[in-house]
Amino acid sequence: MGTRSAPEHCRERAASSLPARAGVGFKNVHFADIEASARDVGFFEIHAENYMGAGGTPHAQLMHLRRDSPLSIHGVGLSVGGGEPLDREHLGRLKTLVERYDPAACSEHLAWSTQGARFLNDLLPLPYNATTLAHVVAHVDEIQEALGRPILLENPAAYLRFRSSEYSEIEFLREVVRRTDCRLLLDVTNVYVSATNLAYSADDYIDAFPMSFVEEIHLAGYAADVDEIGGPLLIDAHCAPVPDAVWHLYDRALARRGPVATLIEWDNDIPSWPTLLAQATQAEAFLGRRRRAVEDSLRSEALHDDLG
């Protein structure tokens, strides 16, 4: 288990060809507005499980979008962190979807969501220990072998810690990347949610995250609640605008990673298209400022070299 186990053909293909721009999660209620507008977003992302049927309106709309815009496919149902074998039929449906649309990126969650034949309708946390690591590595290898490409693995939102954990979350993700050659999807909102719920520094987490492996970032709003003793409890609900604290973390991440594909997630209490587009425009402004900072730095280095 100490060596990289991903097949050679997976390592030969880039994990993502998404542009370093702001994208949005596609919702069919926005289709008419998107078609009537300039469609000025970098890419669209879909949940794979919503498109596993054979045809109909969902695929007709998606084929239309795909002609002009890059597509990212985001899975929520493979239960990568679960202890049971992957559902081969579900993986087969994902493979069919990926072959149909050839997306710029495919991603899944470091979480589990099934018990036997039951889907639990949630992305549940897992202990970070050697046993879980072996399951996750085997599952990521199996997915990448089936798809013939690397995937992006997303850090979860957490609401508890496991006493049996032997790794930090970041150490665990690093080890999965090392052994499988997958890449990472950094959900900045999940960082803020987890840090608030478990009382650690979100800034420190961003500063320690292996940014060289990050190929996409997610941003979303959350729902605020309280726990059983009255402390703050944040729920990763994708139901509101991106809050200022998450924008701060996003800017901190970009300072280390540089411009990278960034998705606005809004899956519940879905807003109007102009509201969603405004969130993407705000992310685009952060990307633009970071892009200019990189260009200024390169010009400064070139001038220094010329004078030297």
Side-chain angles (χ1 to χ4, degrees), residues 4-28:
R4 295 188 301 181
S5 52
E8 290 295 333
H9 66 264
C10 286
R11 294 201 293 269
E12 291 171 357
R13 178 166 183 167
S16 173
S17 58
L18 291 171
R21 293 196 56 204
V24 299
F26 172 62
K27 299 292 181 284
N28 59 10

mmCIF file of all heavy atoms in Angstrom, residues 4-28:
data_model
loop_
_atom_site.group_PDB
_atom_site.id
_atom_site.type_symbol
_atom_site.label_atom_id
_atom_site.label_comp_id
_atom_site.label_asym_id
_atom_site.label_seq_id
_atom_site.Cartn_x
_atom_site.Cartn_y
_atom_site.Cartn_z
ATOM 1 N N ARG A 4 2.332 4.109 -5.252
ATOM 2 C CA ARG A 4 1.189 4.592 -6.013
ATOM 3 C C ARG A 4 0.526 3.425 -6.732
ATOM 4 O O ARG A 4 1.187 2.604 -7.344
ATOM 5 C CB ARG A 4 1.632 5.646 -7.019
ATOM 6 C CG ARG A 4 2.163 6.904 -6.371
ATOM 7 C CD ARG A 4 2.414 7.978 -7.384
ATOM 8 N NE ARG A 4 3.379 7.546 -8.393
ATOM 9 C CZ ARG A 4 3.784 8.313 -9.396
ATOM 10 N NH1 ARG A 4 3.303 9.524 -9.539
ATOM 11 N NH2 ARG A 4 4.658 7.873 -10.264
ATOM 12 N N SER A 5 -0.796 3.369 -6.658
ATOM 13 C CA SER A 5 -1.495 2.225 -7.215
ATOM 14 C C SER A 5 -2.360 2.575 -8.405
ATOM 15 O O SER A 5 -2.982 1.704 -8.986
ATOM 16 C CB SER A 5 -2.369 1.575 -6.128
ATOM 17 O OG SER A 5 -3.196 2.538 -5.506
ATOM 18 N N ALA A 6 -2.456 3.850 -8.770
ATOM 19 C CA ALA A 6 -3.299 4.231 -9.902
ATOM 20 C C ALA A 6 -2.735 3.659 -11.197
ATOM 21 O O ALA A 6 -1.531 3.626 -11.402
ATOM 22 C CB ALA A 6 -3.398 5.751 -10.004
ATOM 23 N N PRO A 7 -3.598 3.167 -12.093
ATOM 24 C CA PRO A 7 -3.111 2.633 -13.370
ATOM 25 C C PRO A 7 -2.460 3.719 -14.208
ATOM 26 O O PRO A 7 -2.774 4.896 -14.087
ATOM 27 C CB PRO A 7 -4.392 2.098 -14.039
ATOM 28 C CG PRO A 7 -5.513 2.801 -13.348
ATOM 29 C CD PRO A 7 -5.050 3.063 -11.950
ATOM 30 N N GLU A 8 -1.562 3.280 -15.087
ATOM 31 C CA GLU A 8 -0.789 4.231 -15.873
ATOM 32 C C GLU A 8 -1.671 5.150 -16.714
ATOM 33 O O GLU A 8 -1.406 6.335 -16.832
ATOM 34 C CB GLU A 8 0.182 3.472 -16.790
ATOM 35 C CG GLU A 8 1.314 2.785 -16.055
ATOM 36 C CD GLU A 8 2.241 3.765 -15.366
ATOM 37 O OE1 GLU A 8 2.345 4.922 -15.824
ATOM 38 O OE2 GLU A 8 2.850 3.396 -14.362
ATOM 39 N N HIS A 9 -2.760 4.614 -17.305
ATOM 40 C CA HIS A 9 -3.555 5.457 -18.194
ATOM 41 C C HIS A 9 -4.261 6.565 -17.431
ATOM 42 O O HIS A 9 -4.611 7.586 -18.001
ATOM 43 C CB HIS A 9 -4.564 4.615 -18.989
ATOM 44 C CG HIS A 9 -5.626 3.962 -18.152
ATOM 45 N ND1 HIS A 9 -5.519 2.675 -17.720
ATOM 46 C CD2 HIS A 9 -6.799 4.425 -17.684
ATOM 47 C CE1 HIS A 9 -6.607 2.360 -17.021
ATOM 48 N NE2 HIS A 9 -7.395 3.405 -16.978
ATOM 49 N N CYS A 10 -4.490 6.380 -16.121
ATOM 50 C CA CYS A 10 -5.071 7.464 -15.319
ATOM 51 C C CYS A 10 -4.055 8.577 -15.117
ATOM 52 O O CYS A 10 -4.394 9.760 -15.156
ATOM 53 C CB CYS A 10 -5.534 6.931 -13.957
ATOM 54 S SG CYS A 10 -7.033 5.943 -14.041
ATOM 55 N N ARG A 11 -2.804 8.203 -14.876
ATOM 56 C CA ARG A 11 -1.796 9.212 -14.596
ATOM 57 C C ARG A 11 -1.421 10.009 -15.848
ATOM 58 O O ARG A 11 -0.885 11.105 -15.759
ATOM 59 C CB ARG A 11 -0.547 8.544 -13.998
ATOM 60 C CG ARG A 11 -0.812 7.937 -12.621
ATOM 61 C CD ARG A 11 0.481 7.768 -11.853
ATOM 62 N NE ARG A 11 1.360 6.782 -12.441
ATOM 63 C CZ ARG A 11 1.351 5.487 -12.115
ATOM 64 N NH1 ARG A 11 0.476 5.029 -11.262
ATOM 65 N NH2 ARG A 11 2.209 4.655 -12.673
ATOM 66 N N GLU A 12 -1.702 9.454 -17.018
ATOM 67 C CA GLU A 12 -1.361 10.149 -18.254
ATOM 68 C C GLU A 12 -2.357 11.259 -18.592
ATOM 69 O O GLU A 12 -2.067 12.109 -19.417
ATOM 70 C CB GLU A 12 -1.305 9.137 -19.414
ATOM 71 C CG GLU A 12 -0.122 8.177 -19.297
ATOM 72 C CD GLU A 12 -0.204 7.059 -20.304
ATOM 73 O OE1 GLU A 12 -1.218 7.001 -21.045
ATOM 74 O OE2 GLU A 12 0.716 6.232 -20.356
ATOM 75 N N ARG A 13 -3.519 11.265 -17.968
ATOM 76 C CA ARG A 13 -4.546 12.259 -18.259
ATOM 77 C C ARG A 13 -4.645 13.250 -17.105
ATOM 78 O O ARG A 13 -4.626 12.868 -15.943
ATOM 79 C CB ARG A 13 -5.895 11.577 -18.477
ATOM 80 C CG ARG A 13 -7.027 12.553 -18.735
ATOM 81 C CD ARG A 13 -8.253 11.881 -19.267
ATOM 82 N NE ARG A 13 -9.293 12.857 -19.563
ATOM 83 C CZ ARG A 13 -10.380 12.595 -20.272
ATOM 84 N NH1 ARG A 13 -10.564 11.393 -20.781
ATOM 85 N NH2 ARG A 13 -11.281 13.539 -20.490
ATOM 86 N N ALA A 14 -4.765 14.540 -17.432
ATOM 87 C CA ALA A 14 -4.916 15.551 -16.395
ATOM 88 C C ALA A 14 -6.240 15.349 -15.675
ATOM 89 O O ALA A 14 -7.240 14.932 -16.259
ATOM 90 C CB ALA A 14 -4.873 16.947 -17.012
ATOM 91 N N ALA A 15 -6.240 15.646 -14.376
ATOM 92 C CA ALA A 15 -7.457 15.482 -13.583
ATOM 93 C C ALA A 15 -8.509 16.511 -13.948
ATOM 94 O O ALA A 15 -9.700 16.279 -13.751
ATOM 95 C CB ALA A 15 -7.121 15.568 -12.093
ATOM 96 N N SER A 16 -8.097 17.655 -14.457
ATOM 97 C CA SER A 16 -9.060 18.706 -14.804
ATOM 98 C C SER A 16 -8.535 19.557 -15.942
ATOM 99 O O SER A 16 -7.351 19.887 -15.992
ATOM 100 C CB SER A 16 -9.331 19.602 -13.592
ATOM 101 O OG SER A 16 -10.137 20.714 -13.948
ATOM 102 N N SER A 17 -9.443 19.911 -16.842
ATOM 103 C CA SER A 17 -9.143 20.913 -17.864
ATOM 104 C C SER A 17 -10.113 22.089 -17.749
ATOM 105 O O SER A 17 -10.328 22.823 -18.710
ATOM 106 C CB SER A 17 -9.226 20.290 -19.269
ATOM 107 O OG SER A 17 -10.514 19.745 -19.506
ATOM 108 N N LEU A 18 -10.700 22.255 -16.557
ATOM 109 C CA LEU A 18 -11.585 23.381 -16.324
ATOM 110 C C LEU A 18 -10.808 24.688 -16.402
ATOM 111 O O LEU A 18 -9.660 24.763 -15.965
ATOM 112 C CB LEU A 18 -12.245 23.275 -14.948
ATOM 113 C CG LEU A 18 -13.276 22.165 -14.746
ATOM 114 C CD1 LEU A 18 -13.659 22.064 -13.278
ATOM 115 C CD2 LEU A 18 -14.514 22.409 -15.609
ATOM 116 N N PRO A 19 -11.411 25.742 -16.930
ATOM 117 C CA PRO A 19 -10.732 27.040 -16.943
ATOM 118 C C PRO A 19 -10.646 27.616 -15.537
ATOM 119 O O PRO A 19 -11.474 27.304 -14.672
ATOM 120 C CB PRO A 19 -11.641 27.891 -17.837
ATOM 121 C CG PRO A 19 -13.001 27.295 -17.660
ATOM 122 C CD PRO A 19 -12.765 25.816 -17.518
ATOM 123 N N ALA A 20 -9.671 28.453 -15.311
ATOM 124 C CA ALA A 20 -9.504 29.105 -13.998
ATOM 125 C C ALA A 20 -10.472 30.275 -13.890
ATOM 126 O O ALA A 20 -10.090 31.440 -13.788
ATOM 127 C CB ALA A 20 -8.065 29.571 -13.823
ATOM 128 N N ARG A 21 -11.751 29.932 -13.919
ATOM 129 C CA ARG A 21 -12.821 30.915 -13.879
ATOM 130 C C ARG A 21 -13.895 30.476 -12.898
ATOM 131 O O ARG A 21 -13.835 29.368 -12.349
ATOM 132 C CB ARG A 21 -13.435 31.099 -15.269
ATOM 133 C CG ARG A 21 -12.495 31.729 -16.295
ATOM 134 C CD ARG A 21 -13.288 32.231 -17.486
ATOM 135 N NE ARG A 21 -14.319 33.173 -17.047
ATOM 136 C CZ ARG A 21 -15.430 33.419 -17.740
ATOM 137 N NH1 ARG A 21 -15.655 32.807 -18.892
ATOM 138 N NH2 ARG A 21 -16.316 34.287 -17.277
ATOM 139 N N ALA A 22 -14.888 31.321 -12.702
ATOM 140 C CA ALA A 22 -16.000 30.998 -11.821
ATOM 141 C C ALA A 22 -17.098 30.294 -12.607
ATOM 142 O O ALA A 22 -17.488 30.737 -13.693
ATOM 143 C CB ALA A 22 -16.558 32.270 -11.174
ATOM 144 N N GLY A 23 -17.587 29.190 -12.063
ATOM 145 C CA GLY A 23 -18.699 28.455 -12.648
ATOM 146 C C GLY A 23 -19.841 28.345 -11.661
ATOM 147 O O GLY A 23 -19.738 28.773 -10.506
ATOM 148 N N VAL A 24 -20.929 27.743 -12.106
ATOM 149 C CA VAL A 24 -22.100 27.567 -11.247
ATOM 150 C C VAL A 24 -22.641 26.158 -11.401
ATOM 151 O O VAL A 24 -22.439 25.506 -12.435
ATOM 152 C CB VAL A 24 -23.218 28.582 -11.566
ATOM 153 C CG1 VAL A 24 -22.741 30.009 -11.344
ATOM 154 C CG2 VAL A 24 -23.739 28.404 -12.983
ATOM 155 N N GLY A 25 -23.333 25.706 -10.368
ATOM 156 C CA GLY A 25 -24.058 24.458 -10.465
ATOM 157 C C GLY A 25 -25.302 24.655 -11.317
ATOM 158 O O GLY A 25 -26.087 25.572 -11.073
ATOM 159 N N PHE A 26 -25.475 23.816 -12.339
ATOM 160 C CA PHE A 26 -26.613 23.971 -13.244
ATOM 161 C C PHE A 26 -27.891 23.444 -12.614
ATOM 162 O O PHE A 26 -27.939 22.323 -12.101
ATOM 163 C CB PHE A 26 -26.355 23.246 -14.558
ATOM 164 C CG PHE A 26 -27.561 23.201 -15.447
ATOM 165 C CD1 PHE A 26 -28.124 24.374 -15.929
ATOM 166 C CD2 PHE A 26 -28.157 21.983 -15.789
ATOM 167 C CE1 PHE A 26 -29.254 24.346 -16.738
ATOM 168 C CE2 PHE A 26 -29.270 21.953 -16.600
ATOM 169 C CZ PHE A 26 -29.829 23.132 -17.071
ATOM 170 N N LYS A 27 -28.941 24.268 -12.665
ATOM 171 C CA LYS A 27 -30.283 23.877 -12.240
ATOM 172 C C LYS A 27 -31.233 24.098 -13.421
ATOM 173 O O LYS A 27 -31.204 25.154 -14.061
ATOM 174 C CB LYS A 27 -30.734 24.704 -11.035
ATOM 175 C CG LYS A 27 -29.830 24.524 -9.812
ATOM 176 C CD LYS A 27 -29.973 23.115 -9.249
ATOM 177 C CE LYS A 27 -29.104 22.896 -8.016
ATOM 178 N NZ LYS A 27 -27.677 22.717 -8.344
ATOM 179 N N ASN A 28 -32.087 23.109 -13.685
ATOM 180 C CA ASN A 28 -32.918 23.210 -14.895
ATOM 181 C C ASN A 28 -33.884 24.385 -14.854
ATOM 182 O O ASN A 28 -34.317 24.866 -15.901
ATOM 183 C CB ASN A 28 -33.659 21.895 -15.159
ATOM 184 C CG ASN A 28 -34.560 21.475 -14.006
ATOM 185 O OD1 ASN A 28 -34.798 22.238 -13.076
ATOM 186 N ND2 ASN A 28 -35.044 20.251 -14.067
#
